[in-house]
Amino acid sequence: MYKLSSNISTDSAGFKEKREANLKLLEEYKKKIREIQEGGGENAIDKHRSRGKLLARERIDLLIDPDTPFMELSAMAAYNQYDNKFPSAGIVTGIGIIRGRESIIVANDATVKGGTYISETIKKHLRAQEIAMENRLPCVYMVDSGGVFLPDQAKVFPDKFDFGRIFFNQARLSAEGIPQLSIVMGSCTAGGAYVPAMSDETIIVKKQGTIFIGGPPLVKAATGEEVTAEELGGADVHTSASGVSDHFAENDKHAIQICRNIFETLPLPERQTLDLAPIEEPAYDPEELYGIAPIEIKQPVDSKEIIMRLVDGSKFHEFKQRYAPTMTTGFARIMGYPVGILANNGVLFSETSLKGTHFIELCTHRKIPIIFLQNITGFIVGKQYEKQGIARDGAKLVHAVANATVPKFSIIFGGSFGAGNYAMAGRAYEPRLLFMWPNARISVMGGDQAADVLVTIKRDQFKAKNKKAPEEELKKLRNEILKKYNYEGSAYYSTSRLWDDGIIDQVDTRKILAMGISMSLNRKFPDPKFGVFRM
Ligand code: COA
């Protein structure tokens, strides 16, 4: 491998301008994160604490090993939706280390509408379980939830990936030998009762945790029986009579300690081995990424400038350096882990697709995780390229990405548009993790292009009727589309709807990728298996 060298002057006006703009975006992002971490607000927090309960993030802090990081996922789910009444969609999910084991943690935030589930809450819960399945990570559910958010029942109850899928996943995960543990720290009503009931082992907190299929009001309405929540489904009943729970805890802290003790009894996973090297910091300061991350999607960025600020020693073994330069491919190390990197430098041509496909084959055969650095406007268009078979070659790359048997990780550092998103391991292509930088943008095409397409269609319609196109109306249409794409293309819009696993600070990218790779080693990488490549 050789050390990459930068062509960027950190003293240039362009660098300084971008740096300022990116730091401003980052500050806005951090401010939003601080706001959503306040959960359901002061009154709800006071009420929660007055019951002797810890907050969701405090519970997680106690559960994970001291001085280890917690990788929170989709912290800004539901942001700018539901009048912002569901910060983090009322649930905290992420990857933490418990007794040395990377684990999935799912904690309801009962200060947000009683920890009830809207559509994004379910998406977050299911996404956490998906990560657990792909990487064989034990799951801990810290349950404190009123179940389905009843006004939204039609959006959250009946469909395949709605509320019921949570319990289906628990059964499937358990059958795969992936431990399912619940700590009941509050309400588990109706469907919610199945989270602990479906778990391999369950802990319940005295006078706080309750589990029942129907709560006291429902029991009264249905049978006339008057019963308190504690009598109906409290810790005492479930640990001494019903057997729905296995361990009786005095309080939150005690319950968390019991859960950590259970971890001592879990079998060790069969880990994938990788050829590790001593960790080296990048030769170029990752903070310089602020002066490089594109603010205007049209600004070209040499992706090697990004790579050299992410990888160990800024060292890179480039593959096909002289061929198809709109995509950089090559091997490097991140915190000692070997990685293959595909990074965009412009649009995807036929030869770019072939280069990417070849490189993915190398990574899968060598069992090296792949990192996709996305800044892509899409595949090249035009008569010449169609004739050459851009669709055929592009399909090869999409095939290779879809079938790559090694873990994939995607970072959107600029734009992510059209089929370029698919070819570079967008959400639908199951990267193990997908993060966006605050400056990133995502949509089916850029706003300008979408506006041009739609205005052209309208103009053609008038032409076909031999009528003059109403220019003012078309201008208005164009502006509306631009405005819509501008709003819907932002990283916030994406992260609110879980099209990604979160927005990250550019400087944390290296650390997050290393954590992701480490997590992925809990499942052995299968041997390569590809389908039919259209030749
Ligand atoms: N659907 C919609 N909103 C719900 C809800 C539900 N299932 N459960 C609670 N909420 C809302 C409340 O209306 C309240 O909203 P507000 O802050 O706008 O007033 C907020 O969540 C907090 O509820 P509250 O009852 O004041 O808090 P609590 O901490 O004392 O009790 C629960 C929380 C969850 C134990 C209790 O609200 C409850 O039993 N809810 C019904 C649970 C149920 O039957 N679920 C069936 C779903 S399948």
Side-chain angles (χ1 to χ4, degrees):
M1 285 190 198
Y2 64 94
K3 188 173 151 260
L4 292 168
S5 63
S6 178
N7 290 318
I8 285 180
S9 159
T10 52
D11 286 331
S12 69
F15 182 92
K16 285 181 183 160
E17 221 173 88
K18 263 203 223 174
R19 185 182 148 81
E20 211 169 290
N22 273 308
L23 285 173
K24 195 166 161 236
L25 287 178
L26 192 63
E27 192 39 54
E28 276 168 24
Y29 164 68
K30 288 189 173 163
K31 186 166 168 261
K32 289 182 192 340
I33 284 283
R34 283 194 295 273
E35 279 164 18
I36 59 119
Q37 285 186 341
E38 282 164 21
E42 215 176 303
N43 289 345
I45 290 176
D46 288 348
K47 186 169 152 192
H48 189 82
R49 285 201 193 284
S50 72
R51 293 168 171 169
K53 291 159 118 186
L54 296 168
L55 299 174
R57 288 183 178 84
E58 292 170 345
R59 288 168 170 168
I60 293 172
D61 277 350
L62 283 178
L63 180 64
I64 61 175
D65 293 351
D67 301 322
T68 59
F70 175 63
M71 195 201 288
E72 186 168 337
L73 301 169
S74 299
M76 299 200 63
Y79 178 74
N80 255 350
Q81 298 189 74
Y82 310 91
D83 293 329
N84 277 324
K85 294 264 166 56
F86 282 88
S88 295
I91 199 165
V92 185
T93 63
I95 301 149
I97 298 171
I98 306 173
R99 290 229 184 262
R101 285 283 292 270
E102 281 137 338
S103 309
I104 281 290
I105 303 170
V106 175
N108 300 115
D109 182 352
T111 69
V112 178
K113 299 279 175 198
T116 51
Y117 281 68
I118 49 169
S119 175
E120 287 72 13
T121 325
I122 294 169
K123 254 187 147 179
K124 254 179 105 163
H125 197 132
L126 297 184
R127 172 69 186 140
Q129 289 179 315
E130 182 179 41
I131 294 172
M133 182 63 103
E134 287 174 345
N135 302 286
R136 293 193 68 83
L137 307 184
C139 299
V140 177
Y141 306 99
M142 304 180 105
V143 196
D144 196 345
S145 163
V148 158
F149 181 68
L150 290 170
D152 272 11
Q153 69 86 21
K155 290 190 204 146
V156 294
F157 167 63
D159 208 354
K160 183 168 176 183
F161 293 107
D162 281 350
F163 201 56
R165 192 73 182 190
I166 293 172
F167 322 119
F168 173 89
N169 283 348
Q170 282 184 265
R172 285 287 170 94
L173 285 157
S174 180
E176 280 269 324
I178 299 170
Q180 300 294 296
L181 308 173
S182 282
I183 314 180
V184 182
M185 311 176 105
S187 178
C188 295
T189 307
Y194 286 101
V195 175
M198 298 292 292
S199 292
D200 302 343
E201 219 166 318
T202 294
I203 304 148
I204 185 165
V205 181
K206 180 173 106 177
K207 299 231 161 84
Q208 281 179 27
T210 52
I211 309 171
F212 28 65
I213 300 297
L218 184 67
V219 171
K220 176 131 196 262
T223 66
E225 186 185 15
E226 288 207 23
V227 61
T228 66
E230 192 61 24
E231 287 164 349
L232 188 63
D236 186 39
V237 175
H238 286 313
T239 50
S240 67
S242 73
V244 174
S245 191
D246 311 301
H247 304 276
F248 181 94
E250 292 293 331
N251 50 41
D252 278 10
K253 278 191 183 164
H254 183 211
I256 289 166
Q257 188 53 51
I258 296 172
C259 182
R260 287 181 54 81
N261 292 348
I262 293 173
F263 266 75
E264 285 187 80
T265 71
L266 302 182
L268 288 175
E270 236 185 284
R271 282 174 72 89
Q272 171 70 36
T273 49
L274 284 183
D275 168 32
L276 303 183
I279 299 173
E280 262 184 89
E281 288 305 312
Y284 291 92
D285 188 348
E287 288 229 354
E288 290 171 2
L289 291 169
Y290 300 137
I292 300 168
I295 294 288
E296 286 296 329
I297 292 308
K298 284 180 192 135
Q299 290 169 338
V301 182
D302 176 359
S303 53
K304 269 186 250 178
E305 297 286 350
I306 309 261
I307 294 171
M308 68 182 79
R309 288 164 177 88
L310 296 180
V311 304
D312 289 12
S314 304
K315 287 180 205 152
F316 195 50
H317 175 67
E318 192 162 357
F319 174 73
K320 280 195 191 297
Q321 185 184 18
R322 305 179 62 214
Y323 182 79
T326 60
M327 182 194 278
T328 300
T329 51
F331 296 99
R333 289 189 179 269
I334 289 190
M335 296 218 176
Y337 297 113
V339 292
I341 299 175
L342 288 89
N344 303 116
N345 268 335
V347 287
L348 295 163
F349 292 89
S350 275
E351 57 273 25
T352 333
S353 310
L354 298 177
K355 174 174 171 178
T357 305
H358 186 167
F359 186 68
I360 289 170
E361 285 187 296
L362 290 184
C363 293
T364 50
H365 278 269
R366 294 177 191 174
K367 304 235 166 133
I368 292 179
I370 306 176
I371 290 166
F372 291 85
L373 298 176
Q374 281 199 26
N375 181 23
I376 181 69
T377 48
F379 284 93
I380 189 78
V381 296
K383 190 171 153 193
Q384 176 198 345
Y385 301 105
E386 296 294 350
K387 199 169 162 194
Q388 279 172 1
I390 179 69
R392 172 172 50 93
D393 291 329
K396 290 192 191 81
L397 179 56
V398 176
H399 248 272
V401 171
N403 282 322
T405 41
V406 290
K408 299 171 291 213
F409 300 89
S410 300
I411 303 289
I412 305 182
F413 73 88
S416 178
F417 299 106
N421 166 286
Y422 307 154
M424 289 297 290
R427 192 61 144 181
Y429 289 79
E430 300 194 349
R432 299 286 172 101
L433 294 169
L434 185 156
F435 290 104
M436 299 188 69
W437 285 0
N439 56 298
R441 302 196 62 79
I442 180 166
S443 52
V444 67
M445 57 176 78
D448 276 323
Q449 290 80 356
D452 285 347
V453 168
L454 290 166
V455 168
T456 305
I457 292 171
K458 271 272 165 261
R459 209 185 286 284
D460 287 351
Q461 285 173 350
F462 283 102
K463 209 169 152 192
K465 290 180 200 153
N466 280 326
K467 284 187 181 163
K468 192 175 172 296
E471 290 308 323
E472 266 316 299
E473 219 176 279
L474 292 185
K475 200 170 150 196
K476 199 169 150 231
L477 172 71
R478 189 167 208 289
N479 286 338
E480 275 167 11
I481 294 160
L482 279 178
K483 202 169 148 205
K484 186 171 162 63
Y485 269 66
N486 189 33
Y487 172 63
E488 292 180 359
S490 90
Y492 292 111
Y493 193 89
S494 165
T495 212
S496 173
R497 288 156 183 82
L498 276 98
W499 299 346
D500 54 58
D501 291 309
I503 299 175
I504 57 169
D505 182 341
Q506 287 89 337
V507 166
D508 292 336
T509 309
R510 175 177 154 78
K511 184 177 72 189
I512 283 171
L513 286 171
M515 285 168 76
I517 296 166
S518 170
M519 152 193 100
S520 74
L521 302 181
N522 286 283
R523 183 185 276 280
K524 288 216 158 208
F525 304 171
D527 291 332
K529 185 179 172 205
F530 291 103
V532 175
F533 288 114
R534 179 176 296 279
M535 295 299 178

